[in-house]
Amino acid sequence: MNDTSKANVILMAEDDSDDRLLVKDAVAESRWEGDLRFVEDGEDLLDYLKHRGKYSQFGNAPRPGLILLDLNMPRKDGREALREIKDDTELRRIPVVVLSTSKAGTDIGRMYDLGANSFIAKPIQFEALVNVMRLLGQYWFNTVELPAPK
């Protein structure tokens, strides 16, 4: 990415505070050098991405290099949020990785149909979550070439 100040931002949409804490600890444990930010539901995610409401101040919501998306959240779930992100010409290039407890084939297929870049079942064991966070950081920020924002 051309803008290195924003390249290493991971934005996670997750309503469960315990899961947010586990991911935060796993990212720290994985020694990934980046900025992990959280929103609590799909509505908050879109406010962040579109700089609305509490995210309207300049610098308050840097563009993420990766979105981690939970499926089942209040107000607006992951399916609805993903649809809106991929339908928006300003946002559709941001990679979205679904990180969910669901392993249902219908959920997996539906998320890819909506434009998800990857689908990962949330690991139950902490060490496995650390490994997932390490691999995500390496892959999305050190391996692939991503297009510049439109």
Side-chain angles (χ1 to χ4, degrees):
M1 286 193 136
N2 298 336
D3 186 350
T4 56
S5 66
K6 296 180 183 179
N8 287 347
V9 174
I10 290 181
L11 179 60
M12 182 172 195
E14 171 62 65
D15 64 314
D16 186 293
S17 60
D18 290 336
D19 282 355
R20 288 193 304 267
L21 183 60
L22 280 172
V23 168
K24 182 180 178 186
D25 290 347
V27 167
E29 183 81 17
S30 74
R31 302 195 194 305
W32 173 73
E33 299 288 329
D35 184 2
L36 177 64
R37 293 170 177 247
F38 295 97
V39 293
E40 295 186 14
D41 57 51
E43 195 66 45
D44 205 23
L45 172 62
L46 286 156
D47 285 350
Y48 179 104
L49 294 171
K50 295 183 178 197
H51 304 284
R52 300 185 300 218
K54 65 183 176 184
Y55 303 106
S56 61
Q57 252 185 334
F58 180 75
N60 194 356
R63 184 179 180 92
L66 178 65
I67 296 170
L68 299 180
L69 184 63
D70 186 31
L71 287 184
N72 301 311
M73 298 179 290
R75 297 200 311 154
K76 183 174 292 200
D77 71 12
R79 296 158 192 86
E80 295 169 300
L82 179 60
R83 183 182 306 110
E84 286 189 42
I85 291 167
K86 295 305 180 177
D87 284 346
D88 187 308
T89 57
E90 297 293 317
L91 304 175
R92 72 171 51 138
R93 289 183 169 190
I94 301 171
V96 177
V97 173
V98 176
L99 190 61
S100 177
T101 54
S102 173
K103 293 182 184 177
T106 54
D107 279 337
I108 296 168
R110 176 100 172 104
M111 296 311 287
Y112 279 109
D113 286 345
L114 290 172
N117 297 87
S118 296
F119 189 106
I120 299 172
K122 281 183 192 171
I124 296 170
Q125 295 179 328
F126 181 71
E127 284 306 315
L129 183 60
V130 169
N131 190 47
V132 165
M133 292 298 114
R134 181 181 300 117
L135 291 171
L136 282 173
Q138 288 174 350
Y139 181 75
W140 287 108
F141 298 111
N142 297 328
T143 305
V144 301
E145 294 293 332
L146 297 172
K150 282 190 170 186

